[in-house]
Amino acid sequence: MSITDKPSHFLEQIIEKDLADGKFSSISTRFPPEPNGFLHVGHAKSICLNFGLAEKYQGQCNLRFDDTNPAKEEQVYVDAIKEDVHWLGFQWAGEVRYASDYFDTFYEWALHLIREGNAYVCDLSPEEASEYRGWATKPGKDSPYRTRSVEENLDLFGRMRAGEFDEGAKVLRAKIDMASSNMNLRDPILYRIRKQSHHQTGDKWCIYPSYDFAHGQEDAIEGITHSICTLEFQDHRPLYDWFIENLPVPHKPRQYEFARLNLNYTVTSKRKLKKLVDEDVVSGWDDPRMPTISGMRRRGYTASAIRKFCDMIGVTRSDGIVDVAMLEHAIRDDLNENAARAMAVLNPLKVVITNLPEGEVQAMTAAAHPNRPEMGERTLPFTREIYIDRSDFTEDSTLSRKKFKRLVLGEWVRLRSAYVIRADEVVKDDAGKIVEVRATLVPGTVGENPPEGVRPRGVIHWVSASQGRQAELRIYDRLFTHEAPDRGEEDFMKYVNPESLQVVQAWIEPGLADAAPEQGFQFEREGYFVADRVDHTAEHPVFNLTIGLKDTQGK
Ligand code: ATP
Ligand code: MG
């Protein structure tokens, strides 16, 4: 993309106007995750937006951890978030930043507000404070501590910092307007006492700033020009602006809001995703069923397809719900274009080619991709015993050629990239189940049309029984059975799909065992699969179903 492209949404229009008016010579954005969980597909939208704008307008985008709440934050999340942003294809400007880097400045600025008569230490208990706060249609009342002198406030706040008071005993509040129609302006909390170690600052602090007191000030310190957040922060904007106006900040950032991504059949809340992990519903944050970036990655979704999806859904100011089929469509499109083709038989039926001697191995060649010769070719060993899928054979010769384009007793079918064969007889076990099909190959049909009178019904896939390898296939389905699992009365855990994972053993063409972890394939006629990032090895091949070949859900 270049700046000559038309603005594609309201934020681009705003930025182009700011640049044209000379308000800024270049833009700065930031992606500000709280390190209290892994990033999900909603965050991907925010990442693509913030980093994408910086790229398009040759500005910069910071990665900043909003680590003001020591209780829920951990280093593992910090590491995972960095990896996810990189994997999506973005690079932050300079070093990673932490809100906690600025705790000294925030403390100074809190003192500044106290000295200006704009903040006070309040001793109301949480219950009392909430009573004093009123509600949307009822103005709040002033706290009895609101009139404390500057000296008293400075003394008490210093002692809060020194650890003299218990958690919850006191807070520092801004002195704004208890009657404001905007609840966020009713003397919001600036600092709370929390006697907890922090993953960055250790035991240096026992008071921590609130999100509201931290966020805009972080933006100001970093020189962020456009601070982009989701719509639920719209009502916080007057407070954001109040801090910027009332503090000696080096820059004046502005906050803009856009609609968060909601996907049907999907839960996008770190708290709820954490519950799925903690209760072992999934194997971890990177379980391929999770809508986390690392889960989607392990599932075989590509970074480029996720970015494309974020482009497709656009950026608006009105909330809506996106059909998860759109995401799946983007993945399928990308894999159809880029994934190498391969063969795997999930439900094997043995076929013995009676006119091929035992021990003979013929090398067949097949294109890695039908439309991409540059992707090269692969070799497929063809042997006397092969597997085809059980569903690709029937004894019922009354089925029309149109209905059943596979192998029928007494008729022909083409084996993909190999011979045309004819099914001559079946072998059954005592229960009457077919255990083997005996067939003959038609000589000279590799890459050539069969002779007159030989009419294959279709083309099916196969794997050599003696040269093929066994693999574990993890067949995934949607994690939730309800299209809005967390938007109703019921607990979202009720809608977890008990059949979201099935493990099957399959036969795979031998070269697939050497696939690199995360390499994706189209298993012909079966679906898109990826070599599992964690468990796949040449000795024990493991593939995850990324997505089926067609959208079979719904309709
Ligand atoms: P969660 O509700 O999952 O905990 P969060 O908003 O608390 O999400 P943060 O780590 O604070 O998570 O979010 C980092 C950034 O990602 C914020 O700017 C936030 O607005 C954005 N973001 C979070 N969820 C979504 C979403 N569903 N769609 C778009 N952006 C999102
Ligand atoms: Mg949050």
Side-chain angles (χ1 to χ4, degrees), residues 32-34 36 43 211 233 270:
E34 187 182 349
N36 60 350
H43 295 110
Y211 172 89
F233 289 99
K270 281 182 276 185

Side-chain angles (χ1 to χ4, degrees), residues 32-208:
E34 187 182 349
N36 60 350
F38 280 49
L39 299 180
H40 53 63
V41 61
H43 295 110
K45 177 176 179 179
S46 176
I47 292 170
C48 289
L49 177 59
N50 282 294
F51 284 93
L53 287 171
E55 241 166 50
K56 178 165 178 177
Y57 298 103
Q58 283 141 43
Q60 68 166 57
C61 181
N62 294 349
L63 173 61
R64 180 207 306 148
F65 289 100
D66 225 327
D67 57 349
T68 53
N69 178 1
K72 293 182 182 160
E73 297 166 0
E74 289 178 34
Q75 187 62 39
V76 282
Y77 299 138
V78 169
D79 296 339
I81 289 169
K82 291 200 287 197
E83 187 173 352
D84 288 347
V85 173
H86 267 153
W87 178 75
L88 276 175
F90 297 109
Q91 177 59 54
W92 48 88
E95 297 289 312
V96 163
R97 298 150 210 250
Y98 296 89
S100 54
D101 293 342
Y102 316 132
F103 280 177
D104 285 314
T105 306
F106 296 162
Y107 185 76
E108 286 307 314
W109 286 348
L111 295 176
H112 176 90
L113 289 178
I114 294 174
R115 287 193 202 102
E116 300 282 312
N118 282 329
Y120 62 98
V121 172
C122 181
D123 302 359
L124 290 178
S125 69
E127 297 73 36
E128 290 167 329
S130 120
E131 209 185 297
Y132 273 74
R133 214 167 156 241
W135 51 84
T137 52
K138 182 176 184 271
K141 327 182 267 198
D142 287 358
S143 157
Y145 305 100
R146 203 174 197 260
T147 51
R148 275 177 165 154
S149 69
V150 169
E151 289 66 36
E152 191 183 2
N153 281 317
L154 287 173
D155 172 60
L156 289 173
F157 188 51
R159 287 164 61 196
M160 275 170 69
R161 179 189 182 168
E164 284 187 32
F165 308 113
D166 291 337
E167 285 192 14
K170 288 183 167 37
V171 293
L172 183 70
R173 298 174 71 174
K175 193 190 283 188
I176 307 180
D177 179 6
M178 287 307 290
S180 173
S181 58
N182 185 334
M183 299 287 287
N184 293 303
L185 297 178
R186 293 186 187 172
D187 292 8
I189 293 176
L190 307 182
Y191 269 93
R192 290 184 177 84
I193 300 169
R194 282 186 198 275
K195 301 202 164 165
Q196 265 162 357
S197 280
H198 185 283
H199 60 105
Q200 294 296 322
T201 57
D203 293 320
K204 179 173 175 190
W205 297 93
C206 62
I207 54 172
Y208 289 94

Side-chain angles (χ1 to χ4, degrees), residues 494-512:
K494 213 187 117 176
Y495 298 116
V496 169
N497 176 4
E499 281 161 17
S500 58
L501 169 60
Q502 285 177 52
V503 178
V504 302
Q505 290 297 315
W507 287 92
I508 57 171
E509 58 178 74
L512 277 177

